[in-house]
Amino acid sequence: MLMYTLRRFLHMLPVFFGATLLVYFLVFATGDPIAALSGGKPMSEAVEANLRAQYNLDQPFWVQYGLYLKNLLTLDLGQTFSGQAVNDVVARAMPVTARLAVMALAIEAVFGIIFGVFAGLRKGKLFDSTVLVLSLVVISVPTFVLGFVLQYVVGVELRWTTPTVGSEAGWSDLILPAIVLGLVSLAYVIRLSRTQVAENLSADYVRTATAKGLSRPRVIIVHVLRNSMIPVVTFLGADLGMLMGGAIVTEGVFNVPGIGSVLLDAIKIGETPTVVAVVSVMVLIFVVANLIVDLLYALLDPRIRYA
Amino acid sequence: MRMNRVLQSVAVTSALALTLTACGGGEGGGENEATSGVVTAHNTEPQNGLIPSDTSEVGGGRVVEQIFQGLYSYAADSSLQEELAESVESEDNQTWTIKIKEGHTFSDGSEVTAHSFVDAWNYAADSDNAQKGSYFFEGFAGYSESDENGADELSGLTVVDDYTFTVELQQPESDFPLRLGYSAYMPLPEVAFEDMEAFGQAPVSNGPYVLAEDGWQHETQISLVPNEDYEGPREPANDGILFKIYDSYDSAYNDLLSDNLDVLDEMPPSALENYESDLEGRSVSQPYAGNATMVIPGYNENFQGEAGQLRRQAISMAFDRQQIIDQIFMGTKEVATEFTAPVLNGFSAEIPGNEVLEYNPEKAKELWDQANEISPWPEGEVLLYTSNTDGAGNKEYIEAITNQLRENLGIQAELDAKATFKEMRELANTDALPGISRAGWVGDYPSLYNFLGPLYGTGASSNDGRYSNPDFDAKLDEGLQAASVEEAATIFNEAQEILFEDLPVLPLWYQAKQAGWSTQVDNVELGWDGKVLYHQITKG
């Protein structure tokens, strides 16, 4: 297990550096942010040159990337154009997004497994077909459309909640955005657990258990569910990383002051340091979440460790 | 045993989740938005610290204008209203003596003196400080004396006594006082110069409002409270302004519909068609000092000489401005009749030569063919129209124009799309525009000159097309030396006649601003620049 953990950990490094290099290159290649900084109003060359120097934009690409990596390793993410430390920005926005992602995860886990298991147990029946069709609809509608529709119906028409999240972004404010954020994965969890349950119901060991004279609830809970949940738990773990990324759209729609909003703002004005810093943090979370999932999986299924 | 492992994994996942959440436990806070009398208004996150001379975009500009008091401010009709100015006088339009009112203070108790202005202006002009508004001091004597562009101290600024200072300009400027309401000319307290970066996050100021304690919560809100010590024409009629920061106009619009936001000063494109019926008398659409143009660079060989001139006229007449406004912008703009904006004093819609702005496809085709006889359009060359496509409606209107050019002139014309504004600016700044380019101007101060000098003067800072005509420059100089603002306006309009002959850019339309408000507030009015006059809004 130790060797496996170490090996998996080493896999993280190229992924992390590769991803940040790619992002840095893309942001770098989309043009000079200083050119747009004054919104088309003139700027004297001396002022422009000074601004460029301030953000190392006058250096060649590799020097910039090197400086950025150096700062990253000393946990200094640089400064935004408005003069705040990117560390502070991330520290302020990250908890909000984490709260949102965890809520979305909880919603998709609870409802996804419940609906999925019941659908699996009643495979081919009306409930199953309805759930399947509905989940297909959810998967095929883009998140921002879903977000705007729910925002309008629940916030403007019904007035059950405010259309956007207030500055505090507390747990109760985040319910609607969390539902929107979790909805697509919810559909996947339903489909995944349904298939697993339906498959395991006809497995040999379930027949054996039934033949031994165990009661149906016992067979289902102890034998079917236990085995069906392994891939579902794996999916949920990996999804935590995905949710961080998906939060960009949802946060934009519901005006949640999280990391997605920060990233959107930074992209809009071409604020290279913030974009790269935030994306690096997201990549890191994604990579760590995946590492944990892989380790869990290996824990659950020993065969993986030797593969 | 097996079950335990599943439980284990669930436990680990939830533990991870809890740890992530726990990081943010104590976050939150902020004023209660429902506090009666505090107006909530839409804003975007300021791109810079709240330093007047470093704020060049609207997100920060809205706030800076509320929290600082300069020499003048602009009334809704663009006329100057006195704030700190006792008098601004000159005998030759070149050396100006400025007297300020005594006994005004910043929110830290320090007095506003002549030094507060002179130090702030010197700081803004010095290129070492990289202030985005430094170009507002280009015309001051001493600006270009050392340090490439922007001396450490402007030789043109002299403190006479605590309440008097003089400004010497490089050349006469008859409309100089009109400039002084702009935020780049606001005074700064002494404490600002100790640590400008920290100051930008929590400025000490002297406007009708001041920033509340911890008022700027980045990406979330900016809270302003009335300044008890303020004396001036913009006395707040409400208990404060809470700027809520949004990423998307659509969500702000939904907040407005449900009274969760009081003032929204820009409608999302999706709401343009029905905002008036949605809001039932709680909206306004009003032209402001801004226009849209298309630049035809002087360095493009196809548009030089006599053939070039004919081509410019042909293009101008080959598309229907009104039709594009109606179909793409839902009628929310106004067809341009000259190069400035109708809200300015001295504006005239009757400038000789402006018939080139009228839609006339037959004449256009005729002119284009004439141009080809003099010097043929290169075989197979496509006329490119460069624009960023990240702004609402840009792509749609340019495709409509290029369609009409193709149809009416029989040429190949296409949108040359750039994903971001900065990419387009880079092309313009490096003289690399391949054809036509989208452009526009929003006035910094309400003067015709501000729409002409910086854009079409030889070597001027925003002259993207590199236009140069000595006759035009001479007219501008003449206008700047005029004895009065009215006389200057007449001369500037004569200068526009030259522009109509040369067509360095083709005027398209004047911009209008749409704003809406909630059922909770009254007295919402827009200024000459399309900005909401926040101080006069009443609530509750």
Side-chain angles (χ1 to χ4, degrees):
Chain A
M1 189 67 193
L2 188 70
M3 274 311 288
Y4 172 77
T5 311
L6 198 67
R7 212 167 53 223
R8 258 318 267 100
F9 185 76
L10 288 177
H11 282 173
M12 274 173 61
L13 298 177
V15 172
F16 182 73
F17 288 110
T20 52
L21 179 64
L22 195 66
V23 171
Y24 207 91
F25 179 74
L26 286 176
V27 179
F28 189 88
T30 57
D32 179 356
I34 304 298
L37 206 55
S38 63
K41 294 285 180 178
M43 213 192 282
S44 79
E45 274 167 38
V47 170
E48 262 188 60
N50 275 328
L51 278 171
R52 263 196 206 99
Q54 207 174 323
Y55 298 100
N56 298 323
L57 292 168
D58 52 346
Q59 306 281 346
F61 173 72
W62 286 108
V63 178
Q64 286 193 38
Y65 182 68
L67 282 171
Y68 157 73
L69 272 188
K70 195 187 109 203
N71 287 340
L72 190 68
L73 293 177
T74 54
L75 296 180
D76 170 14
L77 297 174
Q79 240 190 8
T80 68
F81 286 168
S82 75
Q84 324 164 58
V86 178
N87 287 34
D88 294 346
V89 176
V90 172
R92 200 169 45 232
M94 209 60 213
V96 177
T97 303
R99 203 178 308 162
L100 182 65
V102 167
M103 283 175 75
L105 195 73
I107 290 169
E108 65 183 68
V110 173
F111 292 98
I113 291 173
I114 292 176
F115 283 118
V117 168
F118 278 101
L121 291 175
R122 291 171 176 73
K123 193 181 165 199
K125 303 273 173 53
L126 180 68
F127 180 78
D128 180 36
S129 320
T130 318
V131 166
L132 270 187
V133 169
L134 282 180
S135 65
L136 188 68
V137 170
V138 168
I139 289 172
S140 44
V141 177
T143 306
F144 73 92
V145 175
L146 214 62
F148 276 123
V149 169
L150 281 180
Q151 179 183 50
Y152 188 77
V153 173
V154 180
V156 180
E157 290 293 323
L158 300 172
R159 301 227 178 172
W160 289 350
T161 156
T162 54
T164 61
V165 169
S167 57
E168 290 179 30
W171 293 97
S172 60
D173 298 318
L174 290 173
I175 292 174
L176 191 62
I179 291 175
V180 171
L181 179 59
L183 219 46
V184 172
S185 299
L186 173 69
Y188 283 115
V189 173
I190 288 177
R191 297 189 143 227
L192 190 58
S193 29
R194 170 195 174 269
T195 316
Q196 287 295 320
V197 168
E199 230 170 59
N200 286 337
L201 270 181
S202 55
D204 286 344
Y205 66 88
V206 173
R207 218 176 325 139
T208 313
T210 316
K212 275 199 316 197
L214 297 179
S215 69
R216 179 141 168 104
R218 193 171 161 78
V219 172
I220 288 170
I221 292 167
V222 178
H223 295 266
V224 176
L225 283 192
R226 193 172 73 187
N227 281 304
S228 303
M229 284 307 107
I230 296 176
V232 176
V233 168
T234 320
F235 174 83
L236 287 173
D239 202 44
L240 188 65
M242 297 290 285
L243 286 175
M244 292 278 171
I248 297 173
V249 174
T250 318
E251 287 182 4
V253 172
F254 291 97
N255 210 35
V256 180
I259 204 83
S261 298
V262 172
L263 189 58
L264 261 182
D265 274 344
I267 290 173
K268 270 187 213 154
I269 60 168
E271 211 179 275
T272 325
T274 316
V275 174
V276 182
V278 170
V279 172
S280 308
V281 173
M282 286 178 143
V283 169
L284 197 65
I285 291 172
F286 192 81
V287 169
V288 170
N290 267 292
L291 175 71
I292 293 173
V293 168
D294 280 1
L295 295 183
L296 273 181
Y297 208 89
L299 210 65
L300 292 168
D301 190 345
R303 285 170 300 178
I304 297 286
R305 288 175 230 171
Y306 310 107
Chain B
M1 190 61 207
R2 255 286 169 90
M3 194 62 187
N4 283 345
R5 279 186 185 153
V6 176
L7 280 177
Q8 232 171 33
S9 67
V10 173
V12 172
T13 322
S14 21
L16 175 77
L18 285 174
T19 330
L20 280 172
T21 347
C23 310
E27 202 66 26
E31 316 279 292
N32 182 7
E33 288 154 34
T35 314
S36 68
V38 175
V39 175
T40 57
H42 167 273
N43 202 1
T44 50
E45 171 78 5
Q47 287 179 14
N48 313 289
L50 299 172
I51 301 160
S53 56
D54 202 24
T55 299
S56 55
E57 40 77 58
V58 285
R62 272 190 198 104
V63 182
V64 164
E65 279 163 22
Q66 303 309 313
I67 61 176
F68 282 95
Q69 182 184 30
L71 294 165
Y72 294 110
S73 58
Y74 302 112
D77 65 354
S78 90
S79 61
L80 287 181
Q81 49 190 17
E82 270 175 17
E83 296 265 356
L84 288 172
E86 182 81 51
S87 67
V88 175
E89 286 165 348
S90 171
E91 287 179 359
D92 56 358
N93 289 345
Q94 189 157 7
T95 305
W96 295 82
T97 303
I98 299 173
K99 283 197 162 62
I100 62 168
K101 292 176 181 161
E102 297 181 22
H104 287 259
T105 53
F106 289 100
S107 51
D108 66 347
S110 63
E111 202 184 357
V112 186
T113 63
H115 284 281
S116 318
F117 282 95
V118 170
D119 293 348
W121 295 6
N122 275 328
Y123 181 89
D126 183 358
S127 68
D128 293 341
N129 299 322
Q131 299 290 292
K132 273 148 229 116
S134 73
Y135 83 98
F136 281 97
F137 300 91
E138 272 175 358
F140 285 46
Y143 180 81
S144 49
E145 261 160 30
S146 65
D147 209 5
E148 289 178 70
N149 271 315
D152 292 343
E153 279 195 5
L154 295 168
S155 60
L157 282 177
T158 317
V159 176
V160 177
D161 61 45
D162 273 359
Y163 306 103
T164 315
F165 64 105
T166 59
V167 178
E168 195 199 328
L169 302 173
Q170 288 174 19
Q171 56 170 12
E173 284 186 33
S174 57
D175 67 348
F176 179 72
L178 292 183
R179 289 171 163 265
L180 298 173
Y182 187 72
S183 52
Y185 299 104
M186 303 286 182
L188 288 176
E190 243 170 77
V191 60
F193 303 101
E194 286 163 18
D195 182 352
M196 197 56 87
E197 214 162 87
F199 180 81
Q201 299 297 311
V204 164
S205 64
N206 63 336
Y209 296 90
V210 288
L211 202 67
E213 205 173 317
D214 286 326
W216 187 3
Q217 294 176 30
H218 292 273
E219 274 97 27
T220 311
Q221 62 183 35
I222 300 173
S223 167
L224 306 185
V225 294
N227 178 6
E228 305 292 331
D229 299 327
Y230 172 82
E231 274 171 49
R234 294 182 292 156
E235 199 67 56
N238 47 53
D239 295 343
I241 306 168
L242 184 79
F243 285 109
K244 297 170 79 169
I245 295 170
Y246 288 87
D247 288 324
S248 124
Y249 285 101
D250 287 287
S251 39
Y253 185 70
N254 278 343
D255 262 356
L256 181 71
L257 290 181
S258 57
D259 274 354
N260 196 33
L261 176 73
D262 289 330
V263 184
L264 175 60
D265 58 357
E266 186 155 338
M267 291 297 148
S270 60
L272 279 185
E273 218 164 340
N274 45 15
Y275 76 95
E276 282 171 312
S277 55
D278 282 356
L279 294 167
E280 292 163 1
R282 287 181 284 118
S283 68
V284 62
S285 177
Q286 180 183 316
Y288 67 95
N291 62 20
T293 57
M294 49 202 264
V295 178
I296 305 177
Y299 50 80
N300 188 318
E301 282 172 15
N302 294 323
F303 291 98
Q304 288 170 350
E306 200 190 336
Q309 201 157 344
L310 292 168
R311 284 201 179 101
R312 288 166 191 266
Q313 293 168 3
I315 291 177
S316 182
M317 289 192 232
F319 61 94
D320 189 346
R321 291 169 173 78
Q322 188 64 52
Q323 189 194 27
I324 291 169
I325 291 174
D326 290 341
Q327 290 180 353
I328 291 166
F329 299 110
M330 311 297 160
T332 55
K333 296 178 195 296
E334 207 176 295
V335 174
T337 53
E338 44 77 271
F339 295 83
T340 70
V343 295
L344 304 172
N345 288 323
F347 165 85
S348 161
E350 313 288 329
I351 290 171
N354 70 0
E355 59 277 358
V356 292
L357 302 183
E358 281 158 26
Y359 179 52
N360 188 344
E362 293 81 24
K363 183 83 186 290
K365 177 74 178 135
E366 220 172 89
L367 291 168
W368 188 268
D369 290 341
Q370 271 178 36
N372 278 347
E373 274 166 32
I374 299 167
S375 134
W377 181 261
E379 191 74 33
E381 180 149 329
V382 179
L383 177 58
L384 291 175
Y385 195 145
T386 306
S387 170
N388 54 316
T389 49
D390 51 353
N394 286 346
K395 184 168 176 282
E396 290 77 8
Y397 92 70
I398 289 169
E399 279 176 348
I401 291 180
T402 47
N403 269 337
Q404 296 194 14
L405 293 183
R406 277 200 296 269
E407 213 166 284
N408 295 333
L409 299 178
I411 57 165
Q412 275 306 307
E414 269 172 28
L415 164 67
D416 170 32
K418 298 285 168 245
T420 59
F421 182 62
K422 59 184 178 174
E423 283 173 80
M424 189 182 71
R425 286 311 311 163
E426 246 182 310
L427 288 179
N429 291 344
T430 53
D431 289 9
L433 291 168
I436 300 172
S437 156
R438 186 190 69 80
W441 186 257
V442 178
D444 299 313
Y445 56 97
S447 155
L448 295 178
Y449 177 78
N450 184 238
F451 279 77
L452 303 173
L455 292 155
Y456 314 116
T458 301
S461 45
S462 287
N463 189 341
D464 282 356
R466 310 297 168 222
Y467 174 66
S468 172
N469 183 337
D471 295 342
F472 177 76
D473 292 343
K475 272 284 173 209
L476 286 187
D477 280 346
E478 196 189 322
L480 289 174
Q481 293 175 34
S484 69
V485 174
E486 292 74 28
E487 194 185 310
T490 316
I491 300 168
F492 291 137
N493 282 333
E494 285 165 22
Q496 290 202 62
E497 290 176 35
I498 302 173
L499 293 184
F500 271 120
E501 279 164 32
D502 294 345
L503 290 178
V505 309
L506 307 180
L508 296 177
W509 38 74
Y510 302 122
Q511 309 284 14
K513 196 84 166 180
Q514 290 75 41
W517 53 94
S518 74
T519 57
Q520 326 261 329
V521 294
D522 289 299
N523 289 334
V524 181
E525 202 187 340
L526 301 182
W528 67 283
D529 50 2
K531 287 182 188 147
V532 177
L533 301 171
Y534 295 99
H535 64 274
Q536 63 178 41
I537 299 174
T538 52
K539 183 173 184 180

